[in-house]
Amino acid sequence: MTIRLDGRVALVTGAGRGIGKAVALALAQAGAKVAVLSRTEANAQETAHAIASTGGEALAFGGDVGDADFVERTINHIVTTWQRLDIVVNNAGITRDTLLVRMKDEDWDAVLHTNLKGAFLCSRAALKPMMRQRWGRIINISSVVGLTGNVGQANYAASKAALIAFTKTVALEMGSRNITCNAIAPGLIETDMTQGLPEQVRERALQRIPLGRFGTPEEIAYGVLFLCSEFASYITGQVLVIDGGLTAGL
Ligand code: NDP
């Protein structure tokens, strides 16, 4: 049994790099048409070209997930072009790490704007076509720190915990329409976001991961693929932790 998503239309936010790019490529590989959204248009286009070069179909959008007009226009464009929208992966996310006592208002607002408001805006706009179709999958990329908290990440951890409560609420409101909503909580994954961590922090983190390594973006994409598939048709309101065992002993 393999996962096929032929005929499905997906939107992946933050798909210009890292986890989002791996998710977009995996969905396209499974046969879905993929709308690639990223803040920097050139990054979105690069992912879309990668999909097209393997025979897939993709549209690229450059803009801010926290901008309601941009999100509405993007989703209207997708539905006009492909007549449906089945899957939304709310993946766009940023960090502005610092201890709470030093955290500026702008650090707080920027993180909540992208990580939480972005997911709210994209989900709200996508639910209209999904409700008409009576089929939909929303997957929110949270984080293990949304379950545990983390020093220096009050803004980020709060946004990721809020995404989990948001996920459960969408699941409750949309179950009767055959729309599922789940979250994935990655541990430490090799992307630009973790590339910048000081060597000492990386070493300490590695010692706490039972599998002894950071995860790959593809290992998160496989989780997304599963949650989008018919194999996950009875799963909603859940958090799938993909962390190499990092939180297993907590
Ligand atoms: P990266 O920093 O590698 O990539 C982030 C992506 O999000 C980029 O494509 C970026 O766009 C896009 N983006 C950022 N802000 C916006 C915005 N306002 N509007 C639209 N797009 C935006 O991150 P990762 O791939 O590492 O992380 C992806 C998700 O996974 C995030 O939500 C992150 O919090 C979460 N996560 C990551 C973990 C990790 O260890 N890496 C662990 C746990 C969770 P552009 O390329 O155009 O700049």
Side-chain angles (χ1 to χ4, degrees), residues 33-94:
K33 298 182 178 109
V34 183
V36 176
L37 186 161
S38 205
R39 196 176 32 192
T40 311
E41 192 166 359
N43 290 347
Q45 275 165 356
E46 210 175 292
T47 303
H49 285 148
I51 290 172
S53 70
T54 56
E57 267 189 76
L59 290 171
F61 299 92
D64 176 8
V65 279
D67 174 343
D69 288 343
F70 167 70
V71 167
E72 282 288 334
R73 267 186 281 120
T74 299
I75 287 181
N76 285 340
H77 188 143
I78 296 166
V79 175
T80 306
T81 309
W82 286 328
Q83 282 76 52
R84 55 191 301 121
L85 179 55
D86 303 285
I87 296 162
V88 171
V89 184
N90 287 308
N91 165 81
I94 58 167

Side-chain angles (χ1 to χ4, degrees), residues 14-20 37-40 43 63-65 91-94 114 141-143 156 160 186-189 191-194:
R17 290 183 279 133
I19 293 170
L37 186 161
S38 205
R39 196 176 32 192
T40 311
N43 290 347
D64 176 8
V65 279
N91 165 81
I94 58 167
T114 298
I141 306 299
S142 176
S143 165
Y156 182 79
K160 295 301 187 179
L188 286 147
I189 309 300
T191 67
D192 293 346
M193 192 177 268
T194 46

